[in-house]
Structures are given as C-alpha cells and as structure tokens.
Amino acid sequence: VDDSYWSYCIEIGESASNSWWDYSFSPISDQYQEAAWLFDNSGGSGTPETQLAIWEVLNDDDYNVSLDSGNFYVTDIADSYLIGANTLLSSLQTVQNGVGISDLDFSGYSVASYNGQQDFIVPSAAPVPEPGTMFLLGSGLLGMIGIGRRRFVKNR
C-alpha cells in the first residue's frame, strides 16, 4: 500500500532517508505520549517549532529548548522557532500539571520504525474515499436535487 503521512522524527541519533522503506507501525508507548500531544496540538503540519519541542521532551527533561545547555540544545536557529517551541512546551507543562498526559487518549498515533533508519511518530490515517464512492454520492445528490426541483416547479 502506498500511503503518505505527516510525521515527526523521534530518534535524534538516526538520519532520515529519502528512500522508500517498509516501515512497521506499532502503538505508541508511554515514552512517546508527550510527542503525540505536541503533534496533536501543533496542527500536525510539519513545523520546525514542533520538531524542536518533540526532540526536547524525548531527550531532555526541563521543557525548555535552550541554545547552550542540556542533553538537547540548538546552536543556530531563528528566534521565532525557539520561541514557538518553548510556547508549545509551556502548554504541555500546563497539561502535565493539570490533567496529566497519561489520562489522555493517544490511540490515534503510531510509531513507524525500520531497523537502522529514523523512527517517526505518525497519526493514524483517516480512510480516504475511493473515486467510485464519491461518484455514487455525487450522483445521488444530483438525483435528490432533481426530484426536489421537479416538485418545486409542479407546486408553483
């Protein structure tokens, strides 16, 4: 099956390849729940801010992307990305202090992995209607409009 997904890297030590690999998908473990929350609350559109925040929660424990300290830090990046990542992390920390991440449902996320390649966190794909289904739906709607119009003209 040839499916495409929005995803974020979760292994900072592995490089991502532009080749096709046969990834296996598994439910996320507790370790990746914070990454799933960040993905979910960033719009899932592949932003650098979200990637930075995900690497921070997976590699450090202070909820702050720093330019010069910690297990994960960046040395050269636009201030707007740093501010955006730290804003996401602040929101995550608020959730952690309130409801708690472990009380939320992350069944809609998986970890895509392939030995020796970058692992990714991905949302479960929504089923895409096939063209035949869309044709039947469209022709049914046109038929309903035709019947309604005929009745409207007849009642005038």
Side-chain angles (χ1 to χ4, degrees):
V1 177
D2 186 20
D3 293 324
S4 298
Y5 301 91
W6 275 109
S7 65
Y8 284 102
C9 305
I10 54 176
E11 280 186 303
I12 202 166
E14 296 283 343
S15 61
S17 170
N18 62 356
S19 301
W20 288 98
W21 300 98
D22 190 15
Y23 276 81
S24 61
F25 292 82
S26 58
I28 65 168
S29 62
D30 292 347
Q31 172 187 7
Y32 299 119
Q33 288 181 344
E34 291 175 322
W37 187 92
L38 290 164
F39 194 127
D40 202 36
N41 288 276
S42 68
S45 58
T47 66
E49 297 91 336
T50 305
Q51 185 64 74
L52 286 171
I54 287 173
W55 281 337
E56 173 66 24
V57 298
L58 294 177
N59 296 287
D60 244 336
D61 58 2
D62 64 0
Y63 290 96
N64 182 37
V65 177
S66 168
L67 287 173
D68 56 8
S69 65
N71 294 326
F72 171 72
Y73 61 93
V74 291
T75 56
D76 185 23
I77 195 160
D79 286 344
S80 61
Y81 295 154
L82 197 60
I83 291 167
N86 285 324
T87 300
L88 272 171
L89 291 166
S90 176
S91 297
L92 173 61
Q93 196 166 23
T94 300
V95 170
Q96 284 285 43
N97 294 335
V99 197
I101 289 290
S102 60
D103 294 332
L104 302 176
D105 179 22
F106 294 104
S107 60
Y109 286 89
S110 299
V111 171
S113 56
Y114 182 80
N115 190 25
Q117 294 296 317
Q118 174 63 253
D119 290 351
F120 297 94
I121 188 165
V122 295
S124 299
V128 177
E130 55 187 83
T133 304
M134 295 306 292
F135 175 75
L136 286 173
L137 177 64
S139 59
L141 288 173
L142 286 173
M144 296 289 283
I145 290 170
I147 290 171
R149 182 179 170 123
R150 188 177 293 164
R151 286 184 182 169
F152 178 74
V153 170
K154 194 183 234 184
N155 290 335
R156 284 181 88 180

